[in-house]
Amino acid sequence: QVQLVESGGGLVQPGESLRLSCAASRNIFSNYVMGWHRQAPGKQRELVAAFRRGGTPNYADSVKGRFTISRDNSKNLVYLQMNNLKPEDTAVYYCKATLGSNTYWGQGTQVTVSS
């Protein structure tokens, strides 16, 4: 069993930045594909950023150039640095870990971008 806990969400104004963190209950990063998804009200959950199996990051077109996914394997942490936030980035952000047929989700952290 893997537990994921997100933190770092909040209310910010357009153009500001936030950094989300995802803490895993054990060292899974060497085997699991890690990523961030988000779900806005009334919309389906969508991929924001994830590490491919080779380790290179993959981003949704809507966040390219503004968001950066990174990780600290020694601390079992995955980050999502979000710059130049826009109102359309408002959503609950979820951390996801996948290995084969096993998928784990965190509880989510709310990000609200509003003036």
Side-chain angles (χ1 to χ4, degrees), residues 54-90:
T56 58
N58 179 45
Y59 297 97
D61 288 342
S62 59
V63 306
K64 283 181 180 177
R66 300 188 298 122
F67 290 12
T68 303
I69 188 172
S70 62
R71 62 191 179 193
D72 186 336
N73 291 346
S74 66
K75 297 181 180 179
N76 298 338
L77 288 169
V78 176
Y79 303 104
L80 185 67
Q81 178 66 41
M82 306 185 295
N83 298 329
N84 190 22
L85 282 161
K86 303 177 180 181
E88 51 264 42
D89 295 318
T90 295

mmCIF file of all heavy atoms in Angstrom, residues 54-90:
data_model
loop_
_atom_site.group_PDB
_atom_site.id
_atom_site.type_symbol
_atom_site.label_atom_id
_atom_site.label_comp_id
_atom_site.label_asym_id
_atom_site.label_seq_id
_atom_site.Cartn_x
_atom_site.Cartn_y
_atom_site.Cartn_z
ATOM 1 N N GLY A 54 11.311 6.797 -18.598
ATOM 2 C CA GLY A 54 12.727 7.128 -18.752
ATOM 3 C C GLY A 54 13.168 8.289 -17.879
ATOM 4 O O GLY A 54 14.365 8.601 -17.813
ATOM 5 N N GLY A 55 12.195 8.913 -17.193
ATOM 6 C CA GLY A 55 12.538 9.988 -16.274
ATOM 7 C C GLY A 55 12.312 11.372 -16.821
ATOM 8 O O GLY A 55 12.386 12.345 -16.070
ATOM 9 N N THR A 56 12.034 11.501 -18.116
ATOM 10 C CA THR A 56 11.814 12.827 -18.668
ATOM 11 C C THR A 56 10.387 13.264 -18.369
ATOM 12 O O THR A 56 9.468 12.447 -18.343
ATOM 13 C CB THR A 56 12.042 12.850 -20.180
ATOM 14 O OG1 THR A 56 11.166 11.895 -20.791
ATOM 15 C CG2 THR A 56 13.479 12.515 -20.514
ATOM 16 N N PRO A 57 10.185 14.534 -18.135
ATOM 17 C CA PRO A 57 8.850 15.008 -17.794
ATOM 18 C C PRO A 57 7.955 15.215 -19.014
ATOM 19 O O PRO A 57 8.444 15.462 -20.121
ATOM 20 C CB PRO A 57 9.117 16.338 -17.093
ATOM 21 C CG PRO A 57 10.401 16.810 -17.680
ATOM 22 C CD PRO A 57 11.204 15.587 -17.992
ATOM 23 N N ASN A 58 6.671 15.093 -18.777
ATOM 24 C CA ASN A 58 5.658 15.319 -19.800
ATOM 25 C C ASN A 58 4.648 16.307 -19.232
ATOM 26 O O ASN A 58 4.240 16.180 -18.076
ATOM 27 C CB ASN A 58 4.976 13.991 -20.136
ATOM 28 C CG ASN A 58 3.891 14.154 -21.166
ATOM 29 O OD1 ASN A 58 4.080 14.831 -22.164
ATOM 30 N ND2 ASN A 58 2.752 13.529 -20.956
ATOM 31 N N TYR A 59 4.248 17.307 -20.037
ATOM 32 C CA TYR A 59 3.357 18.366 -19.558
ATOM 33 C C TYR A 59 2.139 18.509 -20.460
ATOM 34 O O TYR A 59 2.221 18.311 -21.677
ATOM 35 C CB TYR A 59 4.087 19.710 -19.510
ATOM 36 C CG TYR A 59 5.239 19.760 -18.562
ATOM 37 C CD1 TYR A 59 6.538 19.552 -19.008
ATOM 38 C CD2 TYR A 59 5.037 20.030 -17.205
ATOM 39 C CE1 TYR A 59 7.618 19.587 -18.131
ATOM 40 C CE2 TYR A 59 6.107 20.078 -16.323
ATOM 41 C CZ TYR A 59 7.384 19.854 -16.793
ATOM 42 O OH TYR A 59 8.448 19.893 -15.923
ATOM 43 N N ALA A 60 1.028 18.891 -19.841
ATOM 44 C CA ALA A 60 -0.134 19.285 -20.626
ATOM 45 C C ALA A 60 0.207 20.576 -21.369
ATOM 46 O O ALA A 60 0.953 21.416 -20.862
ATOM 47 C CB ALA A 60 -1.334 19.503 -19.715
ATOM 48 N N ASP A 61 -0.336 20.727 -22.554
ATOM 49 C CA ASP A 61 -0.035 21.921 -23.349
ATOM 50 C C ASP A 61 -0.390 23.200 -22.601
ATOM 51 O O ASP A 61 0.300 24.217 -22.734
ATOM 52 C CB ASP A 61 -0.799 21.876 -24.673
ATOM 53 C CG ASP A 61 -0.249 20.835 -25.634
ATOM 54 O OD1 ASP A 61 0.908 20.384 -25.432
ATOM 55 O OD2 ASP A 61 -0.967 20.459 -26.580
ATOM 56 N N SER A 62 -1.435 23.148 -21.808
ATOM 57 C CA SER A 62 -1.915 24.350 -21.125
ATOM 58 C C SER A 62 -0.963 24.852 -20.040
ATOM 59 O O SER A 62 -1.086 25.999 -19.606
ATOM 60 C CB SER A 62 -3.286 24.079 -20.496
ATOM 61 O OG SER A 62 -3.202 23.006 -19.570
ATOM 62 N N VAL A 63 -0.010 24.009 -19.616
ATOM 63 C CA VAL A 63 0.895 24.429 -18.538
ATOM 64 C C VAL A 63 2.356 24.484 -18.977
ATOM 65 O O VAL A 63 3.218 24.875 -18.184
ATOM 66 C CB VAL A 63 0.760 23.512 -17.308
ATOM 67 C CG1 VAL A 63 -0.694 23.420 -16.858
ATOM 68 C CG2 VAL A 63 1.336 22.137 -17.565
ATOM 69 N N LYS A 64 2.641 24.088 -20.203
ATOM 70 C CA LYS A 64 4.035 24.104 -20.676
ATOM 71 C C LYS A 64 4.617 25.498 -20.572
ATOM 72 O O LYS A 64 3.983 26.478 -20.942
ATOM 73 C CB LYS A 64 4.094 23.617 -22.128
ATOM 74 C CG LYS A 64 3.976 22.118 -22.290
ATOM 75 C CD LYS A 64 4.060 21.704 -23.745
ATOM 76 C CE LYS A 64 3.931 20.195 -23.897
ATOM 77 N NZ LYS A 64 3.936 19.780 -25.320
ATOM 78 N N GLY A 65 5.840 25.549 -20.050
ATOM 79 C CA GLY A 65 6.517 26.820 -19.882
ATOM 80 C C GLY A 65 6.169 27.535 -18.591
ATOM 81 O O GLY A 65 6.823 28.517 -18.237
ATOM 82 N N ARG A 66 5.142 27.053 -17.884
ATOM 83 C CA ARG A 66 4.761 27.687 -16.615
ATOM 84 C C ARG A 66 4.938 26.751 -15.422
ATOM 85 O O ARG A 66 5.260 27.191 -14.324
ATOM 86 C CB ARG A 66 3.286 28.134 -16.676
ATOM 87 C CG ARG A 66 2.992 29.139 -17.767
ATOM 88 C CD ARG A 66 1.564 29.682 -17.648
ATOM 89 N NE ARG A 66 0.557 28.638 -17.807
ATOM 90 C CZ ARG A 66 -0.357 28.358 -16.883
ATOM 91 N NH1 ARG A 66 -0.385 29.015 -15.736
ATOM 92 N NH2 ARG A 66 -1.257 27.407 -17.115
ATOM 93 N N PHE A 67 4.713 25.468 -15.632
ATOM 94 C CA PHE A 67 4.797 24.487 -14.548
ATOM 95 C C PHE A 67 6.035 23.616 -14.727
ATOM 96 O O PHE A 67 6.420 23.307 -15.851
ATOM 97 C CB PHE A 67 3.565 23.581 -14.537
ATOM 98 C CG PHE A 67 2.279 24.240 -14.118
ATOM 99 C CD1 PHE A 67 2.162 25.619 -14.002
ATOM 100 C CD2 PHE A 67 1.166 23.471 -13.836
ATOM 101 C CE1 PHE A 67 0.975 26.219 -13.623
ATOM 102 C CE2 PHE A 67 -0.039 24.045 -13.454
ATOM 103 C CZ PHE A 67 -0.117 25.423 -13.349
ATOM 104 N N THR A 68 6.605 23.189 -13.600
ATOM 105 C CA THR A 68 7.750 22.293 -13.627
ATOM 106 C C THR A 68 7.564 21.198 -12.583
ATOM 107 O O THR A 68 7.328 21.492 -11.408
ATOM 108 C CB THR A 68 9.055 23.046 -13.340
ATOM 109 O OG1 THR A 68 9.214 24.103 -14.296
ATOM 110 C CG2 THR A 68 10.251 22.107 -13.427
ATOM 111 N N ILE A 69 7.682 19.953 -13.024
ATOM 112 C CA ILE A 69 7.628 18.827 -12.099
ATOM 113 C C ILE A 69 9.045 18.415 -11.750
ATOM 114 O O ILE A 69 9.932 18.413 -12.610
ATOM 115 C CB ILE A 69 6.834 17.639 -12.703
ATOM 116 C CG1 ILE A 69 6.613 16.548 -11.656
ATOM 117 C CG2 ILE A 69 7.502 17.089 -13.956
ATOM 118 C CD1 ILE A 69 5.671 15.444 -12.128
ATOM 119 N N SER A 70 9.264 18.102 -10.486
ATOM 120 C CA SER A 70 10.590 17.668 -10.053
ATOM 121 C C SER A 70 10.408 16.698 -8.889
ATOM 122 O O SER A 70 9.304 16.535 -8.373
ATOM 123 C CB SER A 70 11.455 18.863 -9.635
ATOM 124 O OG SER A 70 10.874 19.527 -8.537
ATOM 125 N N ARG A 71 11.500 16.082 -8.482
ATOM 126 C CA ARG A 71 11.390 15.132 -7.376
ATOM 127 C C ARG A 71 12.689 15.061 -6.600
ATOM 128 O O ARG A 71 13.761 15.358 -7.121
ATOM 129 C CB ARG A 71 11.020 13.745 -7.883
ATOM 130 C CG ARG A 71 12.032 13.117 -8.807
ATOM 131 C CD ARG A 71 11.460 11.875 -9.449
ATOM 132 N NE ARG A 71 12.379 11.245 -10.361
ATOM 133 C CZ ARG A 71 12.040 10.297 -11.218
ATOM 134 N NH1 ARG A 71 10.797 9.867 -11.269
ATOM 135 N NH2 ARG A 71 12.924 9.761 -12.019
ATOM 136 N N ASP A 72 12.549 14.672 -5.360
ATOM 137 C CA ASP A 72 13.686 14.431 -4.480
ATOM 138 C C ASP A 72 13.562 12.993 -3.998
ATOM 139 O O ASP A 72 12.816 12.707 -3.064
ATOM 140 C CB ASP A 72 13.671 15.421 -3.311
ATOM 141 C CG ASP A 72 14.909 15.321 -2.452
ATOM 142 O OD1 ASP A 72 15.549 14.239 -2.440
ATOM 143 O OD2 ASP A 72 15.240 16.305 -1.786
ATOM 144 N N ASN A 73 14.281 12.100 -4.642
ATOM 145 C CA ASN A 73 14.148 10.690 -4.311
ATOM 146 C C ASN A 73 14.574 10.391 -2.876
ATOM 147 O O ASN A 73 14.031 9.503 -2.227
ATOM 148 C CB ASN A 73 14.963 9.834 -5.272
ATOM 149 C CG ASN A 73 14.383 9.840 -6.671
ATOM 150 O OD1 ASN A 73 13.245 10.264 -6.885
ATOM 151 N ND2 ASN A 73 15.157 9.392 -7.638
ATOM 152 N N SER A 74 15.543 11.132 -2.377
ATOM 153 C CA SER A 74 16.040 10.874 -1.025
ATOM 154 C C SER A 74 15.000 11.198 0.040
ATOM 155 O O SER A 74 15.060 10.668 1.154
ATOM 156 C CB SER A 74 17.315 11.670 -0.771
ATOM 157 O OG SER A 74 17.037 13.058 -0.766
ATOM 158 N N LYS A 75 14.039 12.070 -0.321
ATOM 159 C CA LYS A 75 13.010 12.482 0.642
ATOM 160 C C LYS A 75 11.628 11.950 0.272
ATOM 161 O O LYS A 75 10.650 12.262 0.943
ATOM 162 C CB LYS A 75 12.954 14.005 0.733
ATOM 163 C CG LYS A 75 14.227 14.636 1.263
ATOM 164 C CD LYS A 75 14.101 16.153 1.343
ATOM 165 C CE LYS A 75 15.377 16.779 1.886
ATOM 166 N NZ LYS A 75 15.281 18.262 1.951
ATOM 167 N N ASN A 76 11.564 11.156 -0.777
ATOM 168 C CA ASN A 76 10.271 10.627 -1.247
ATOM 169 C C ASN A 76 9.275 11.748 -1.536
ATOM 170 O O ASN A 76 8.094 11.675 -1.153
ATOM 171 C CB ASN A 76 9.670 9.654 -0.226
ATOM 172 C CG ASN A 76 10.541 8.450 0.013
ATOM 173 O OD1 ASN A 76 11.373 8.104 -0.817
ATOM 174 N ND2 ASN A 76 10.377 7.814 1.159
ATOM 175 N N LEU A 77 9.734 12.793 -2.211
ATOM 176 C CA LEU A 77 8.899 13.946 -2.505
ATOM 177 C C LEU A 77 8.874 14.211 -4.005
ATOM 178 O O LEU A 77 9.891 14.097 -4.688
ATOM 179 C CB LEU A 77 9.412 15.192 -1.795
ATOM 180 C CG LEU A 77 9.226 15.250 -0.283
ATOM 181 C CD1 LEU A 77 10.027 16.404 0.296
ATOM 182 C CD2 LEU A 77 7.747 15.421 0.058
ATOM 183 N N VAL A 78 7.683 14.585 -4.477
ATOM 184 C CA VAL A 78 7.514 15.078 -5.837
ATOM 185 C C VAL A 78 6.935 16.479 -5.740
ATOM 186 O O VAL A 78 6.028 16.720 -4.924
ATOM 187 C CB VAL A 78 6.567 14.175 -6.658
ATOM 188 C CG1 VAL A 78 6.340 14.771 -8.046
ATOM 189 C CG2 VAL A 78 7.143 12.787 -6.796
ATOM 190 N N TYR A 79 7.437 17.391 -6.549
ATOM 191 C CA TYR A 79 7.002 18.777 -6.501
ATOM 192 C C TYR A 79 6.345 19.179 -7.828
ATOM 193 O O TYR A 79 6.622 18.609 -8.882
ATOM 194 C CB TYR A 79 8.197 19.704 -6.259
ATOM 195 C CG TYR A 79 8.975 19.417 -5.013
ATOM 196 C CD1 TYR A 79 10.204 18.771 -5.074
ATOM 197 C CD2 TYR A 79 8.496 19.808 -3.768
ATOM 198 C CE1 TYR A 79 10.935 18.516 -3.926
ATOM 199 C CE2 TYR A 79 9.220 19.568 -2.612
ATOM 200 C CZ TYR A 79 10.437 18.916 -2.700
ATOM 201 O OH TYR A 79 11.157 18.664 -1.555
ATOM 202 N N LEU A 80 5.510 20.195 -7.718
ATOM 203 C CA LEU A 80 4.983 20.857 -8.905
ATOM 204 C C LEU A 80 5.114 22.350 -8.677
ATOM 205 O O LEU A 80 4.387 22.930 -7.872
ATOM 206 C CB LEU A 80 3.525 20.477 -9.168
ATOM 207 C CG LEU A 80 2.938 21.048 -10.457
ATOM 208 C CD1 LEU A 80 3.617 20.430 -11.680
ATOM 209 C CD2 LEU A 80 1.432 20.824 -10.527
ATOM 210 N N GLN A 81 6.086 22.938 -9.348
ATOM 211 C CA GLN A 81 6.265 24.387 -9.284
ATOM 212 C C GLN A 81 5.357 25.018 -10.318
ATOM 213 O O GLN A 81 5.464 24.703 -11.505
ATOM 214 C CB GLN A 81 7.724 24.759 -9.556
ATOM 215 C CG GLN A 81 7.986 26.249 -9.566
ATOM 216 C CD GLN A 81 7.797 26.899 -8.214
ATOM 217 O OE1 GLN A 81 8.197 26.349 -7.197
ATOM 218 N NE2 GLN A 81 7.169 28.072 -8.191
ATOM 219 N N MET A 82 4.495 25.901 -9.880
ATOM 220 C CA MET A 82 3.510 26.533 -10.767
ATOM 221 C C MET A 82 3.750 28.035 -10.778
ATOM 222 O O MET A 82 3.596 28.699 -9.744
ATOM 223 C CB MET A 82 2.093 26.212 -10.296
ATOM 224 C CG MET A 82 1.830 24.725 -10.144
ATOM 225 S SD MET A 82 0.111 24.348 -9.732
ATOM 226 C CE MET A 82 -0.014 25.098 -8.117
ATOM 227 N N ASN A 83 4.150 28.549 -11.922
ATOM 228 C CA ASN A 83 4.413 29.981 -12.079
ATOM 229 C C ASN A 83 3.380 30.611 -13.001
ATOM 230 O O ASN A 83 2.744 29.914 -13.801
ATOM 231 C CB ASN A 83 5.810 30.195 -12.647
ATOM 232 C CG ASN A 83 6.899 29.682 -11.732
ATOM 233 O OD1 ASN A 83 6.752 29.683 -10.506
ATOM 234 N ND2 ASN A 83 8.002 29.245 -12.320
ATOM 235 N N ASN A 84 3.263 31.916 -12.888
ATOM 236 C CA ASN A 84 2.331 32.657 -13.749
ATOM 237 C C ASN A 84 0.952 31.990 -13.765
ATOM 238 O O ASN A 84 0.390 31.704 -14.827
ATOM 239 C CB ASN A 84 2.893 32.761 -15.165
ATOM 240 C CG ASN A 84 2.098 33.705 -16.039
ATOM 241 O OD1 ASN A 84 1.400 34.584 -15.545
ATOM 242 N ND2 ASN A 84 2.180 33.504 -17.345
ATOM 243 N N LEU A 85 0.424 31.781 -12.584
ATOM 244 C CA LEU A 85 -0.858 31.083 -12.477
ATOM 245 C C LEU A 85 -1.991 31.898 -13.083
ATOM 246 O O LEU A 85 -1.991 33.140 -13.022
ATOM 247 C CB LEU A 85 -1.155 30.757 -11.020
ATOM 248 C CG LEU A 85 -0.375 29.547 -10.481
ATOM 249 C CD1 LEU A 85 -0.340 29.555 -8.965
ATOM 250 C CD2 LEU A 85 -0.995 28.253 -10.994
ATOM 251 N N LYS A 86 -2.937 31.181 -13.654
ATOM 252 C CA LYS A 86 -4.083 31.798 -14.310
ATOM 253 C C LYS A 86 -5.376 31.300 -13.646
ATOM 254 O O LYS A 86 -5.390 30.229 -13.054
ATOM 255 C CB LYS A 86 -4.092 31.414 -15.789
ATOM 256 C CG LYS A 86 -2.833 31.789 -16.533
ATOM 257 C CD LYS A 86 -2.883 31.301 -17.980
ATOM 258 C CE LYS A 86 -1.614 31.674 -18.721
ATOM 259 N NZ LYS A 86 -1.662 31.220 -20.144
ATOM 260 N N PRO A 87 -6.454 32.063 -13.774
ATOM 261 C CA PRO A 87 -7.718 31.607 -13.173
ATOM 262 C C PRO A 87 -8.133 30.212 -13.644
ATOM 263 O O PRO A 87 -8.714 29.447 -12.858
ATOM 264 C CB PRO A 87 -8.711 32.677 -13.633
ATOM 265 C CG PRO A 87 -7.887 33.912 -13.781
ATOM 266 C CD PRO A 87 -6.561 33.429 -14.317
ATOM 267 N N GLU A 88 -7.788 29.872 -14.872
ATOM 268 C CA GLU A 88 -8.169 28.553 -15.388
ATOM 269 C C GLU A 88 -7.341 27.420 -14.784
ATOM 270 O O GLU A 88 -7.618 26.245 -15.048
ATOM 271 C CB GLU A 88 -8.067 28.511 -16.914
ATOM 272 C CG GLU A 88 -6.758 28.992 -17.482
ATOM 273 C CD GLU A 88 -6.815 30.461 -17.918
ATOM 274 O OE1 GLU A 88 -7.405 31.283 -17.179
ATOM 275 O OE2 GLU A 88 -6.235 30.769 -18.983
ATOM 276 N N ASP A 89 -6.344 27.753 -13.999
ATOM 277 C CA ASP A 89 -5.593 26.723 -13.269
ATOM 278 C C ASP A 89 -6.288 26.319 -11.973
ATOM 279 O O ASP A 89 -5.838 25.390 -11.294
ATOM 280 C CB ASP A 89 -4.182 27.223 -12.941
ATOM 281 C CG ASP A 89 -3.337 27.466 -14.174
ATOM 282 O OD1 ASP A 89 -3.389 26.634 -15.105
ATOM 283 O OD2 ASP A 89 -2.635 28.498 -14.211
ATOM 284 N N THR A 90 -7.354 27.016 -11.637
ATOM 285 C CA THR A 90 -8.093 26.691 -10.425
ATOM 286 C C THR A 90 -8.638 25.271 -10.494
ATOM 287 O O THR A 90 -9.339 24.910 -11.440
ATOM 288 C CB THR A 90 -9.252 27.683 -10.229
ATOM 289 O OG1 THR A 90 -8.715 28.991 -10.006
ATOM 290 C CG2 THR A 90 -10.116 27.280 -9.041
#
